[in-house]
Amino acid sequence: MKSAIAALSVRSQSLLQHVISAEQYDFWMRQMGLIEAWSRCFARVVAVAQTTPDGVVLSLKPNRHQRRLIAGPRCAVSVEVAGRNIARSFVWSNSEDGRYMQVSISRQAADPVSRQLLEDTAVGDIVELLPASGDSPPPTLDARSVAPDTALVYLRRSEKTVSVTRGTSLLEALELAGVKPTYGCRRGICNRCSCTRIQGQTTDMVSGESSDEPGHPVRICINRASSDLELDL
Ligand code: FES
């Protein structure tokens, strides 16, 4: 049953979008102990090797989103600390057989993430991987530390993932994140800011209506993210 769910194709995932949100999908995958996710990169710890008194190498088996989200020599590892998800950036490489990611964790003074990864991480645990700050794609390292107010937006054409606030229009949020989308009136009239939704849910800030129809246009000047998103932008 679990393996069948984990093997969901992109096609069946697009059908599921009509009955379940990306957040709900991810939640239930975690509840079943799976690393499968809608668009986020989760990984299972398959080995923990102590390399120094203050250093370990975690071997991680990531889900299918690793290649899309993790570029460059560093990645951010997000763990729950006192009820909050906090991420820190670490160097990673492929294992010799190429099957796993190996992330080098070294203790950093007063950093709860490195302390938790060093002291409390065991084989079988699941962590979330995010692009490291400065890499492409570049969300902030603590993107998940204020999870209820933020969403990750993957921009397919730019091949970037950015962290945006859910409280403002996508246009403003993307601009704050350093992206420069095309726009005109900024009031939902001219349609110049419109782009196609690949997946995820948005809310129209004028009508209050939410939509998660894949392939539909989104006017980013008057829509805000209400889940993680993928846009053809
Ligand atoms: S900028 Fe005119 S509709 Fe969005």
Side-chain angles (χ1 to χ4, degrees), residues 8-26 37-39 64 156 196-202 210-216 218 227-231:
L8 278 170
S9 66
V10 173
R11 178 174 167 74
S12 56
Q13 188 178 5
S14 75
L15 293 174
L16 269 178
Q17 288 182 95
H18 297 283
V19 294
I20 190 171
S21 71
E23 286 177 332
Q24 291 171 325
Y25 181 82
D26 289 355
W38 201 272
S39 59
R64 61 196 165 95
R156 179 175 281 193
T196 301
R197 176 208 325 276
I198 310 296
Q199 62 179 359
Q201 187 179 66
T202 53
S210 294
S211 172
D212 58 6
E213 287 281 308
H216 277 223
V218 178
S227 77
D228 290 347
L229 284 172
E230 185 170 344
L231 299 174

Coordinates of all heavy atoms in Angstrom, one line a residue, residues 8-26 37-39 64 156 196-202 210-216 218 227-231:
L8 N 3.2 7.2 -6.9 CA 2.3 8.0 -7.7 C 3.0 8.7 -8.8 O 4.0 9.4 -8.6 CB 1.6 9.1 -6.8 CG 0.5 8.6 -5.9 CD1 0.1 9.7 -4.9 CD2 -0.7 8.3 -6.7
S9 N 2.4 8.6 -10.0 CA 3.0 9.3 -11.1 C 2.6 10.8 -11.1 O 1.7 11.2 -10.4 CB 2.5 8.7 -12.4 OG 1.1 8.9 -12.6
V10 N 3.3 11.6 -11.9 CA 3.0 13.0 -12.0 C 1.5 13.1 -12.5 O 0.8 14.0 -12.1 CB 3.9 13.7 -13.0 CG1 3.5 15.1 -13.3 CG2 5.3 13.7 -12.5
R11 N 1.1 12.2 -13.4 CA -0.2 12.3 -13.9 C -1.3 12.1 -12.8 O -2.2 12.8 -12.7 CB -0.4 11.2 -15.0 CG -1.8 11.2 -15.6 CD -1.9 10.2 -16.8 NE -3.2 9.9 -17.1 CZ -4.0 10.7 -17.8 NH1 -3.6 11.9 -18.1 NH2 -5.3 10.4 -18.1
S12 N -1.1 11.0 -12.0 CA -2.1 10.8 -10.9 C -2.0 11.9 -9.9 O -3.0 12.2 -9.3 CB -1.8 9.4 -10.3 OG -0.5 9.3 -9.8
Q13 N -0.8 12.5 -9.7 CA -0.7 13.6 -8.8 C -1.6 14.8 -9.3 O -2.3 15.4 -8.5 CB 0.7 14.1 -8.6 CG 0.9 15.1 -7.5 CD 2.4 15.4 -7.4 OE1 3.2 15.0 -8.1 NE2 2.6 16.2 -6.4
S14 N -1.6 15.0 -10.6 CA -2.4 16.1 -11.1 C -3.8 15.9 -10.9 O -4.6 16.8 -10.7 CB -2.0 16.4 -12.6 OG -2.6 15.4 -13.4
L15 N -4.3 14.6 -10.9 CA -5.7 14.3 -10.7 C -6.0 14.5 -9.2 O -7.1 15.0 -8.9 CB -5.9 12.8 -11.1 CG -5.9 12.5 -12.6 CD1 -6.0 11.0 -12.8 CD2 -6.9 13.3 -13.3
L16 N -5.0 14.2 -8.3 CA -5.3 14.3 -6.9 C -5.5 15.8 -6.5 O -6.1 16.1 -5.5 CB -4.0 13.8 -6.1 CG -4.1 12.3 -5.7 CD1 -2.8 12.0 -5.0 CD2 -5.3 12.0 -4.8
Q17 N -4.9 16.7 -7.3 CA -5.0 18.1 -7.0 C -6.5 18.6 -6.8 O -6.8 19.6 -6.2 CB -4.3 19.0 -8.0 CG -2.8 18.8 -8.0 CD -2.2 19.7 -9.0 OE1 -1.8 20.8 -8.7 NE2 -2.1 19.2 -10.2
H18 N -7.4 17.8 -7.4 CA -8.8 18.2 -7.3 C -9.4 17.8 -6.0 O -10.5 18.3 -5.6 CB -9.6 17.5 -8.4 CG -9.2 17.9 -9.8 ND1 -9.5 19.1 -10.4 CD2 -8.4 17.3 -10.7 CE1 -9.0 19.2 -11.6 NE2 -8.3 18.1 -11.8
V19 N -8.8 16.9 -5.2 CA -9.4 16.5 -4.0 C -8.5 16.7 -2.7 O -9.0 16.6 -1.6 CB -9.7 15.0 -4.1 CG1 -10.8 14.7 -5.1 CG2 -8.5 14.1 -4.4
I20 N -7.3 17.1 -2.9 CA -6.4 17.2 -1.8 C -5.4 18.3 -2.1 O -4.9 18.4 -3.2 CB -5.7 15.9 -1.4 CG1 -5.0 16.0 -0.1 CG2 -4.7 15.5 -2.5 CD1 -4.5 14.6 0.4
S21 N -5.0 19.1 -1.1 CA -4.1 20.2 -1.3 C -2.7 19.6 -1.2 O -2.5 18.5 -0.6 CB -4.2 21.3 -0.3 OG -3.9 20.9 1.0
A22 N -1.7 20.4 -1.6 CA -0.3 19.9 -1.5 C 0.1 19.7 -0.1 O 0.8 18.8 0.3 CB 0.7 20.9 -2.2
E23 N -0.4 20.6 0.8 CA 0.0 20.5 2.2 C -0.7 19.3 2.8 O 0.0 18.6 3.6 CB -0.5 21.8 3.0 CG 0.3 23.0 2.7 CD -0.2 24.2 3.4 OE1 -1.4 24.3 3.6 OE2 0.6 25.1 3.7
Q24 N -1.9 19.0 2.5 CA -2.6 17.8 3.0 C -1.8 16.5 2.5 O -1.6 15.6 3.3 CB -4.0 17.7 2.6 CG -4.9 18.8 3.2 CD -6.2 18.9 2.6 OE1 -6.4 18.7 1.4 NE2 -7.3 19.2 3.4
Y25 N -1.5 16.5 1.2 CA -0.8 15.4 0.7 C 0.5 15.1 1.4 O 0.8 14.0 1.9 CB -0.5 15.7 -0.8 CG 0.3 14.6 -1.5 CD1 -0.4 13.5 -2.1 CD2 1.6 14.7 -1.7 CE1 0.2 12.5 -2.8 CE2 2.3 13.7 -2.4 CZ 1.6 12.6 -3.0 OH 2.3 11.6 -3.7
D26 N 1.3 16.2 1.6 CA 2.6 16.1 2.4 C 2.3 15.6 3.8 O 3.1 14.8 4.3 CB 3.3 17.4 2.4 CG 3.9 17.8 1.0 OD1 3.8 17.0 0.1 OD2 4.4 18.9 0.9
A37 N 6.5 13.5 -1.4 CA 5.9 14.8 -1.2 C 5.5 15.4 -2.5 O 5.9 15.0 -3.6 CB 6.9 15.8 -0.5
W38 N 4.6 16.4 -2.4 CA 4.0 17.0 -3.6 C 5.1 17.7 -4.4 O 5.3 17.5 -5.6 CB 3.0 18.0 -3.2 CG 2.0 18.4 -4.3 CD1 2.2 19.4 -5.2 CD2 0.8 17.8 -4.6 NE1 1.1 19.4 -6.0 CE2 0.2 18.4 -5.7 CE3 0.1 16.7 -4.0 CZ2 -1.0 18.1 -6.2 CZ3 -1.1 16.4 -4.5 CH2 -1.7 17.0 -5.6
S39 N 5.9 18.6 -3.7 CA 7.0 19.3 -4.4 C 8.2 19.6 -3.5 O 9.1 20.1 -4.0 CB 6.4 20.6 -5.0 OG 5.9 21.5 -3.9
R64 N 12.0 12.2 -4.9 CA 12.2 12.5 -6.3 C 12.4 14.0 -6.6 O 12.7 14.4 -7.8 CB 11.0 12.0 -7.1 CG 9.7 12.7 -6.7 CD 8.5 11.9 -7.3 NE 7.3 12.3 -6.6 CZ 6.4 13.2 -7.1 NH1 6.7 13.8 -8.3 NH2 5.3 13.5 -6.5
R156 N 9.2 27.6 -12.7 CA 9.7 26.5 -13.6 C 10.7 27.1 -14.7 O 11.7 26.5 -14.9 CB 8.5 25.9 -14.3 CG 9.0 24.8 -15.3 CD 7.8 24.0 -15.9 NE 7.3 23.0 -15.0 CZ 6.5 22.1 -15.3 NH1 6.1 22.0 -16.6 NH2 6.0 21.2 -14.5
T196 N 0.9 30.8 -15.8 CA 0.1 29.6 -15.7 C 0.5 28.8 -14.4 O 1.7 28.7 -14.1 CB 0.4 28.7 -16.9 OG1 0.0 29.3 -18.1 CG2 -0.3 27.3 -16.8
R197 N -0.5 28.4 -13.7 CA -0.2 27.6 -12.5 C 0.1 26.1 -13.0 O -0.7 25.5 -13.8 CB -1.5 27.5 -11.6 CG -1.4 26.6 -10.4 CD -2.8 26.1 -10.0 NE -3.8 27.1 -10.2 CZ -4.1 28.0 -9.4 NH1 -3.5 28.2 -8.2 NH2 -5.1 28.9 -9.6
I198 N 1.2 25.6 -12.5 CA 1.5 24.2 -12.7 C 0.8 23.3 -11.6 O 0.1 22.4 -11.9 CB 3.0 23.9 -12.7 CG1 3.7 24.8 -13.6 CG2 3.2 22.4 -13.1 CD1 3.4 24.7 -15.0
Q199 N 1.0 23.8 -10.4 CA 0.3 23.1 -9.2 C 0.3 24.0 -8.0 O 1.1 25.0 -8.0 CB 1.0 21.8 -8.9 CG 2.4 21.9 -8.5 CD 3.0 20.5 -8.1 OE1 2.4 19.5 -8.2 NE2 4.3 20.5 -7.7
G200 N -0.5 23.7 -7.1 CA -0.6 24.5 -5.8 C -1.9 25.4 -5.8 O -2.6 25.4 -6.8
Q201 N -2.1 26.0 -4.7 CA -3.3 26.8 -4.5 C -3.0 28.2 -4.3 O -2.1 28.6 -3.6 CB -4.1 26.2 -3.3 CG -5.5 26.9 -3.1 CD -6.2 26.3 -1.9 OE1 -5.8 26.5 -0.8 NE2 -7.3 25.6 -2.1
T202 N -3.9 29.1 -4.9 CA -3.8 30.5 -4.8 C -5.1 31.1 -4.3 O -6.2 30.4 -4.5 CB -3.4 31.2 -6.1 OG1 -4.3 30.8 -7.1 CG2 -1.9 30.9 -6.5
S210 N -10.5 30.8 -3.7 CA -9.2 30.0 -3.8 C -9.4 29.1 -5.1 O -10.4 28.7 -5.4 CB -9.0 29.1 -2.6 OG -8.7 30.0 -1.5
S211 N -8.2 28.8 -5.7 CA -8.2 28.0 -6.9 C -6.9 27.1 -6.9 O -5.9 27.6 -6.5 CB -8.3 28.8 -8.1 OG -8.1 28.0 -9.3
D212 N -7.1 25.9 -7.3 CA -5.9 25.0 -7.4 C -5.9 24.3 -8.8 O -5.3 23.2 -8.9 CB -5.8 24.1 -6.3 CG -7.0 23.2 -6.1 OD1 -7.9 23.2 -7.0 OD2 -7.0 22.4 -5.1
E213 N -6.6 24.8 -9.7 CA -6.7 24.2 -11.1 C -5.4 24.3 -11.8 O -4.9 25.4 -12.1 CB -7.8 24.9 -11.9 CG -9.2 24.7 -11.5 CD -9.7 23.3 -12.0 OE1 -9.5 23.1 -13.2 OE2 -10.1 22.5 -11.2
P214 N -4.7 23.1 -12.1 CA -3.5 23.2 -12.8 C -3.7 23.6 -14.2 O -4.8 23.4 -14.8 CB -3.0 21.7 -12.8 CG -4.2 20.9 -12.5 CD -5.1 21.8 -11.7
G215 N -2.8 24.4 -14.8 CA -2.9 24.8 -16.2 C -3.8 26.1 -16.3 O -3.9 26.6 -17.5
H216 N -4.2 26.6 -15.3 CA -5.1 27.9 -15.3 C -4.2 29.1 -15.1 O -3.2 29.1 -14.4 CB -6.2 27.8 -14.3 CG -7.4 27.0 -14.8 ND1 -8.7 27.5 -14.6 CD2 -7.4 25.9 -15.4 CE1 -9.5 26.6 -15.1 NE2 -8.8 25.6 -15.6
V218 N -2.9 32.6 -13.6 CA -3.0 33.3 -12.3 C -2.5 34.7 -12.4 O -1.4 34.9 -12.9 CB -2.0 32.5 -11.3 CG1 -2.1 33.3 -9.9 CG2 -2.5 31.1 -11.1
S227 N -0.7 27.9 -0.7 CA 0.0 26.6 -0.4 C 1.3 26.8 -1.2 O 1.5 27.8 -1.9 CB -0.7 25.4 -1.0 OG -0.6 25.3 -2.4
D228 N 2.2 25.8 -1.1 CA 3.4 25.8 -2.0 C 2.9 25.8 -3.4 O 1.8 25.2 -3.7 CB 4.3 24.6 -1.7 CG 5.0 24.7 -0.3 OD1 5.0 25.8 0.3 OD2 5.5 23.7 0.1
L229 N 3.7 26.4 -4.3 CA 3.2 26.6 -5.7 C 4.3 26.2 -6.7 O 5.5 26.3 -6.4 CB 2.9 28.0 -5.9 CG 1.6 28.6 -5.4 CD1 1.6 30.1 -5.6 CD2 0.4 28.0 -6.1
E230 N 3.8 25.9 -7.9 CA 4.7 25.8 -9.0 C 4.1 26.6 -10.1 O 2.9 26.4 -10.5 CB 4.9 24.4 -9.5 CG 6.0 24.2 -10.6 CD 6.4 22.8 -10.8 OE1 6.1 21.9 -10.0 OE2 6.9 22.6 -11.9
L231 N 4.8 27.6 -10.6 CA 4.3 28.5 -11.6 C 5.2 28.4 -12.9 O 6.4 28.3 -12.8 CB 4.3 30.0 -11.1 CG 3.4 30.3 -9.9 CD1 3.6 31.7 -9.4 CD2 1.9 30.0 -10.2

